[in-house]
Amino acid sequence: MKNDMPALHPAHATRHRRKSEKKVLRSRHKSIGQPPGSLIHIGEQKVEKTEITAIGYDEKQAVTLSVGNVEECLALKERFKVLWIDVAGLHETGVIEKIGELFGIDPLTLEDILHTGQRPKVEDFERYLYLTLQMLDFNQEHGEVGHEQLSVVVGPGWIITFQERPGDMFDPVRQRIDSPNAKLRKHEADFLAYTLVDAVVDHYFSTLEEIENRIDLLDADLVATFSQESFNALNALKRELIMFRKAVWPLREIIGSISRDDFAVVGDLVEHYFRDVYDHVILVIDTVEVFREIVTSMHETWLAGVNNRMNEIMKFLTMIATIFMPLSFIAGVYGMNFRNMPELNLWWGYYAVLGLMLLIVFGFLKYYRSRKWY
């Protein structure tokens, strides 16, 4: 577990996230007035060129290829028991459209794939199953939880994943495919889909661990300083947990639906495995809710601490003002310009007034001490 706070200031991380959200909102105007199934990429372009990687395997062999031409995927489909096509980069709509034509993917599904920021969902088209969910990861550079849309299309003997950029949490899955004795190579494409979804859900726990570390560090800093930086970090963390909940909560219904309903491309054995993923999703949701309550409690603690500090400051200033009120009165009386003031002619008058003022100060301090005000 890491013990260092993120390098980026929470306010900078929040501005970076809001800037990305505004870009997505502006790009959504492109789809206004367009007919259903129009292939328009909505979201931030995260790579320069779309990269396609094909992994074909059966019990005897496993091959990983970088595909330059989309048509090559059909030839690979005939060679292997299971073909996994990973597409990284969604801004080249022509490539996505061509893949849809080759594998018979409905234009409405392609539209959902290109519209990033989708709510996690599952749709059954009988000849294939479409699943979209959010991959969450802690971004060390920006000091926040990053999210990326993952779209999964599962067909008989093939599976296509669409990501916004290269790099994911599927390297352990690829290593299992390369292993000759891996259980994964004995099953169909639906088992690979389960494995990918399970990897995404398991990675949620790693992200929650990073959030827990931030909560612990913020809690210690909160008690020590009650600084504005802590308050900004709390607000950023609260926002991230809301985003986390938004990404994970729909999975409860989605995974439950896959584990219960009879989808054409999902076998009974894989439905059993999806029930295990369902249990993990419930645990993630419960953990997120607990963290939200903790952060809310810390937020209230910060406000209470700031109010207490303000009360202490006001009490101190009130005591100072109370002490100086009679002193100001005495100084004001003897500062008047009347000629007939006998005390002004006494040689010990100045010392008497100073003594009276000191007596008043010590009297007030003794009174405050008796009341335990300081």
Side-chain angles (χ1 to χ4, degrees):
M1 296 177 67
K2 299 179 181 180
N3 295 322
D4 297 330
M5 287 290 288
L8 190 66
H9 193 277
H12 296 167
T14 302
R15 284 197 295 269
H16 175 270
R17 179 171 52 247
R18 290 178 178 174
K19 187 181 295 184
S20 300
E21 292 172 353
K22 288 179 180 178
K23 288 181 179 179
V24 174
L25 290 175
R26 283 198 299 266
S27 61
R28 287 196 178 275
H29 288 286
K30 301 176 184 178
S31 62
I32 295 177
Q34 298 294 328
S38 299
L39 302 186
I40 301 174
H41 176 238
I42 294 179
E44 183 182 357
Q45 179 178 331
K46 299 184 178 180
V47 292
E48 294 183 1
K49 181 176 175 54
T50 300
E51 300 179 7
I52 302 177
T53 305
I55 301 177
Y57 65 89
D58 51 35
E59 295 185 26
K60 298 181 180 179
Q61 61 177 335
V63 178
T64 301
L65 299 173
S66 179
V67 179
N69 191 347
V70 179
E71 282 78 3
E72 298 177 21
C73 297
L74 280 181
L76 295 173
K77 180 182 176 183
E78 303 299 328
R79 288 177 51 189
F80 301 99
K81 178 181 179 181
V82 177
L83 176 64
W84 172 18
I85 301 174
D86 183 41
V87 181
L90 305 179
H91 60 285
E92 296 185 20
T93 58
V95 175
I96 308 300
E97 183 178 12
K98 190 63 177 179
I99 293 176
E101 292 175 357
L102 293 176
F103 288 88
I105 302 175
D106 193 277
L108 291 177
T109 301
L110 298 178
E111 182 183 11
D112 288 341
I113 291 172
L114 291 173
H115 290 196
T116 59
Q118 290 279 341
R119 185 179 187 270
K121 64 179 180 178
V122 61
E123 294 179 348
D124 183 21
F125 289 83
E126 294 186 357
R127 64 183 183 278
Y128 68 84
L129 183 72
Y130 170 62
L131 173 68
T132 180
L133 63 159
Q134 294 289 325
M135 295 189 296
L136 303 178
D137 191 19
F138 186 78
N139 191 320
Q140 295 289 349
E141 179 182 357
H142 297 127
E144 63 177 356
V145 177
H147 60 93
E148 177 186 354
Q149 177 172 299
L150 172 67
S151 299
V152 183
V153 182
V154 187
W158 54 271
I159 179 172
I160 307 175
T161 54
F162 298 88
Q163 306 183 52
E164 297 183 57
R165 59 173 175 260
D168 49 41
M169 62 283 299
F170 299 142
D171 287 341
V173 179
R174 297 183 181 97
Q175 294 173 5
R176 289 169 59 186
I177 292 176
D178 291 336
S179 177
N181 299 321
K183 181 180 179 180
L184 179 60
R185 289 170 55 169
K186 299 178 182 179
H187 293 277
E188 300 292 338
D190 55 350
F191 191 85
L192 176 59
Y194 147 74
T195 305
L196 297 178
V197 174
D198 185 57
V200 172
V201 174
D202 285 345
H203 201 73
Y204 289 163
F205 290 103
S206 300
T207 307
L208 288 174
E209 184 177 344
E210 294 287 352
I211 292 178
E212 185 179 15
N213 292 339
R214 293 177 62 189
I215 290 176
D216 292 340
L217 292 172
L218 276 174
D219 187 41
D221 184 67
L222 194 68
V223 174
T225 63
F226 289 101
S227 63
Q228 186 64 37
E229 288 76 12
S230 299
F231 184 72
N232 294 335
L234 275 176
N235 284 335
L237 191 57
K238 194 173 183 180
R239 184 184 178 91
E240 289 172 6
L241 286 172
I242 292 174
M243 182 272 294
F244 207 120
R245 184 180 186 275
K246 182 180 178 181
V248 176
W249 188 263
L251 283 180
R252 181 176 186 174
E253 178 182 352
I254 292 171
I255 304 301
S257 176
I258 296 176
S259 63
R260 293 190 308 268
D261 299 339
D262 293 327
F263 292 119
V265 297
V266 180
D268 294 339
L269 176 63
V270 177
E271 289 181 359
H272 170 72
Y273 285 108
F274 268 106
R275 294 189 188 98
D276 181 65
V277 179
Y278 179 82
D279 294 337
H280 293 173
V281 171
I282 296 298
L283 180 57
V284 169
I285 292 174
D286 291 343
T287 305
V288 171
E289 293 299 324
V290 170
F291 284 174
R292 287 185 64 197
E293 293 180 3
I294 292 175
V295 171
T296 300
S297 176
M298 291 171 62
H299 190 273
E300 294 174 353
T301 301
W302 188 91
L303 293 176
V306 170
N307 288 334
N308 287 336
R309 290 180 61 183
M310 182 61 69
N311 291 337
E312 291 295 327
I313 293 172
M314 293 302 299
K315 184 171 67 173
F316 175 77
L317 295 177
T318 301
M319 289 191 296
I320 296 297
T322 305
I323 291 174
F324 275 90
M325 283 175 62
L327 303 184
S328 300
F329 172 76
I330 295 173
V333 169
Y334 289 103
M336 293 186 294
N337 295 323
F338 294 112
R339 292 184 179 181
N340 187 19
M341 295 185 69
E343 296 88 352
L344 297 179
N345 297 321
L346 299 176
W347 68 268
W348 48 264
Y350 171 74
Y351 304 102
V353 171
L354 286 182
L356 177 61
M357 288 182 174
L358 289 176
L359 184 62
I360 292 173
V361 170
F362 286 113
F364 270 110
L365 292 177
K366 185 177 181 180
Y367 177 76
Y368 294 152
R369 172 68 69 177
S370 67
R371 304 287 295 187
K372 297 181 179 180
W373 288 355
Y374 73 95

